[in-house]
Amino acid sequence: MKNIPVIMIIFGGSGDLAHRKLYPSLFNLYEQGLIHDNFAVIGTARRPWSHEYLREQVSDVIHETHDQVDENEVKAFASHFYYQSHDVTNVEHYVTLKKLAQELDDRYSAQGNCLFYMAMAPRFFGTIATHINDQHLTGSGFNRIVVEKPFGHDLVSAEQLNKEITASFDENDIFRIDHYLGKEMIQNIMPMRFTNPLIKNIWSGEYIKNIQITLAERLGVEARGGYYDTSGALRDMVQNHIFQIITLLAMPEPKDLSSDSVHQAKQELLKSLIIPTPEEVKKNFVRGQYLGSDTTFAYKKEPNVDPDSTTETYVAGKTKFTSGPIAGVPIYFRTGKEFKEKKTRIDIVLKHINNPYGQAHSNNITIEVDPESKIYITINGKKIDEPGIRREDLTYAFSKEEMAKVPDGYERLLHDVFVNDSTNFTHWSELKRYWEFIDAVEDAWQKENEAGNPEIAQYLPYRMGPKEADNIFESPTEHWIYE
Ligand code: NAD
């Protein structure tokens, strides 16, 4: 693997994401030689840490996340880390940061290549982007920026943020990260769809009755109540992860696997995304909040949550496209907190066919994304010793050894940033469409709130969300496959 010279600046170097995901992923890429001699990482945050202290932190996290490591390798890796105490709102601090970056660029022969990573609270993204521009932090080589989610709070704020970032970075150098796009089974959607005649040939409204996407979380809002209350399930999960999955399922076949072709196929599809009217939102969407139990708080009683909050911890809804291979096919989705289990899965439900055996179930294709990774297709056959039809699953799965080799989504995506592959990142024009959809739903809900009669289903914790979500289907023969 090529050794890529680069100085990486992480805004939020003392945070949870940096520790749990970025540092272990960087170590794995270091071990593979992608970044090796000519790289340095500057971790920034407000705390007055020293370089040495950050290096200790990095070493500790590598030991925690890796079973067996070579001590010398960890030490050598950590020696590439530098710490700069930095308040993102302080102009002077950017001047100091620039000086350090330039020194390191010389020391590590990084050829003027800079990678900025925004790993902190989203309200600071615009400020950081503006200062990068005003204080000329970009280098003379490549300049790339990774932006964490959420990218904006609605279309207007996303447009503003985009303007601030594009002042210093070209669209091709902006990596809007969505770690779902780094997941093994999400990356398996395209090969599954396009290499199997069995699947490719039935990928149309003629054969597919509906598609269902479930992103279920077991946990409640925990310590994030204050932030979550300003966001909600629609913005937190649908705007990014669920829409990415929907797009991969519904887009036309790209002409090849280049990043440009994949994004072209996505953008072609998204032009035909149907934006719901307020009446359609009322009919096709359900929002909910979890209730309490003996041992857990109801959402409205969680710390830092408004007791009259209308923020949803659950949403179910429907999307459709007017073009693409599955134009007209309803795509139902649901996501929420305090489900019975953590689970991400996609069910593709095929239409029934008339047959001489009478009532046989249709085939379903299920993609389990988390916590298991597998695809299975339900197949009908005969029962052995009695009349009737039996159903069995044909399963595509991985061995334990194979699963152990699957890199974390962050490692994959960081690799892609280093090698400049933006296939699995969100293009601005895609993000814009997602926000147009989300804004339409949020506006309809806001009007309901203002009219004083919001329909917010209250659901029991650790089950399957509100029963009202069973009524969003177009026909009485449809129902949630995963129950
Ligand atoms: P965090 O609160 O743990 O870390 C925030 C960092 O910002 C800390 O290093 C903190 O010191 C620093 N900071 C705060 N105010 C500052 C200021 N004024 N000046 C300089 N530094 C300041 O947050 P996190 O969980 O690491 O999340 C960071 C980003 O990553 C968010 O956008 C989040 O949505 C996204 N994200 C996080 C995870 C995760 O697993 N933690 C997963 C997906 C996305």
Side-chain angles (χ1 to χ4, degrees), residues 10-21 44-47 49 83 85-90 93-94 117-125 128 147-150 177 179 224 227 236 241 410:
I10 301 179
F11 295 99
S14 66
D16 179 64
L17 180 77
H19 277 76
R20 281 195 317 110
K21 297 291 182 184
T44 79
R46 275 181 308 187
R47 297 175 201 181
W49 287 1
Y83 184 77
S85 176
H86 177 94
D87 183 334
V88 293
T89 56
N90 186 321
H93 288 183
Y94 288 87
Y117 199 117
M118 295 210 203
M120 48 190 298
R123 66 179 184 283
F124 295 121
F125 294 171
I128 301 171
V147 191
E148 268 296 339
K149 74 161 204 178
I177 196 163
H179 68 278
R224 288 174 73 226
Y227 165 73
D236 200 41
H241 312 318
Y410 270 95

Side-chain angles (χ1 to χ4, degrees), residues 18-68:
H19 277 76
R20 281 195 317 110
K21 297 291 182 184
L22 304 185
Y23 299 153
S25 298
L26 286 171
F27 179 68
N28 293 344
L29 297 173
Y30 175 80
E31 279 203 304
Q32 292 157 35
L34 182 73
I35 40 172
H36 210 270
D37 302 326
N38 308 106
F39 91 100
V41 177
I42 307 177
T44 79
R46 275 181 308 187
R47 297 175 201 181
W49 287 1
S50 62
H51 300 322
E52 220 23 72
Y53 189 75
L54 176 63
R55 288 173 195 154
E56 277 169 30
Q57 296 277 309
V58 170
S59 303
D60 288 352
V61 89
I62 303 307
H63 287 113
E64 281 159 25
T65 49
H66 293 71
D67 286 341
Q68 283 180 333

Side-chain angles (χ1 to χ4, degrees), residues 168-464:
S168 302
F169 299 90
D170 289 341
E171 173 63 31
N172 288 342
D173 297 322
I174 304 171
F175 293 78
R176 299 179 193 84
I177 196 163
D178 182 333
H179 68 278
Y180 267 68
L181 287 180
K183 286 184 185 278
E184 182 66 21
M185 296 314 284
I186 300 298
Q187 295 201 344
N188 238 324
I189 293 177
M190 290 216 319
M192 183 201 81
R193 278 190 54 195
F194 302 129
T195 65
N196 295 296
L198 188 68
I199 293 177
K200 183 170 163 171
N201 289 327
I202 55 96
W203 211 260
S204 75
E206 194 177 340
Y207 299 106
I208 297 183
K209 185 172 183 172
N210 65 55
I211 293 184
Q212 307 178 7
I213 299 165
T214 305
L215 256 71
E217 294 183 285
R218 170 82 185 170
L219 297 175
V221 295
E222 306 219 290
R224 288 174 73 226
Y227 165 73
Y228 194 85
D229 209 34
T230 64
S231 169
L234 190 70
R235 288 190 171 102
D236 200 41
M237 302 296 269
V238 181
Q239 183 272 332
N240 35 55
H241 312 318
I242 288 188
F243 257 115
Q244 291 291 356
I245 296 174
I246 291 174
T247 307
L248 284 168
L249 292 166
M251 72 190 210
E253 185 168 322
K255 81 174 187 306
D256 53 47
L257 293 179
S258 69
S259 173
D260 281 352
S261 300
V262 171
H263 284 294
Q264 208 177 356
K266 289 183 172 183
Q267 286 155 26
E268 194 182 312
L269 169 79
L270 287 169
K271 277 188 223 147
S272 80
L273 171 67
I274 299 177
I275 306 291
T277 62
E279 294 70 39
E280 284 164 343
V281 171
K282 202 169 173 50
K283 202 164 123 213
N284 301 331
F285 285 75
V286 169
R287 50 177 166 158
Q289 292 173 328
Y290 57 79
L291 291 164
S293 70
D294 291 346
T295 51
T296 56
F297 290 124
Y299 176 64
K300 287 201 259 196
K301 299 225 164 84
E302 293 277 17
N304 303 320
V305 169
D306 177 356
D308 297 321
S309 175
T310 53
T311 302
E312 76 291 354
T313 60
Y314 174 98
V315 58
K318 182 175 90 167
T319 45
K320 257 189 196 180
F321 297 91
T322 57
S323 78
I326 52 165
V329 172
I331 304 172
Y332 303 106
F333 59 81
R334 60 186 162 163
T335 180
K337 297 205 171 284
E338 299 203 353
F339 260 69
K340 70 168 183 184
E341 60 186 343
K342 180 175 165 59
K343 174 86 80 183
T344 300
R345 68 179 255 174
I346 302 160
D347 294 287
I348 294 116
V349 183
L350 299 196
K351 288 182 177 169
H352 282 272
I353 46 169
N354 287 330
N355 69 83
Y357 293 90
Q359 262 308 333
H361 285 284
S362 68
N363 306 114
N364 298 329
I365 305 169
T366 297
I367 307 171
E368 294 235 7
V369 178
D370 270 334
E372 283 184 88
S373 297
K374 59 183 179 184
I375 303 172
Y376 49 92
I377 303 183
T378 53
I379 295 284
N380 295 316
K382 70 174 273 305
K383 286 187 175 166
I384 296 171
D385 51 5
E386 56 177 316
I389 295 298
R390 101 181 203 167
R391 291 183 104 196
E392 288 294 330
D393 292 338
L394 294 184
T395 306
Y396 173 96
F398 303 93
S399 68
K400 256 201 179 127
E401 293 73 33
E402 283 171 318
M403 275 319 289
K405 281 195 230 147
V406 172
D408 181 71
Y410 270 95
E411 182 183 330
R412 275 202 170 121
L413 296 174
L414 270 175
H415 169 275
D416 292 351
V417 176
F418 286 123
V419 302
N420 201 20
D421 179 353
S422 49
T423 313
N424 287 311
F425 293 83
T426 313
H427 192 278
W428 167 245
S429 58
E430 295 154 22
L431 189 86
K432 198 166 169 241
R433 274 313 262 167
Y434 300 157
W435 273 127
E436 281 165 7
F437 185 98
I438 299 300
D439 279 1
V441 181
E442 291 285 354
D443 288 352
W445 284 349
Q446 188 55 33
K447 289 207 177 80
E448 264 185 36
N449 296 347
E450 284 161 12
N453 59 348
E455 281 176 36
I456 305 172
Q458 304 295 310
Y459 62 95
L460 291 171
Y462 310 120
R463 307 219 180 146
M464 290 300 287

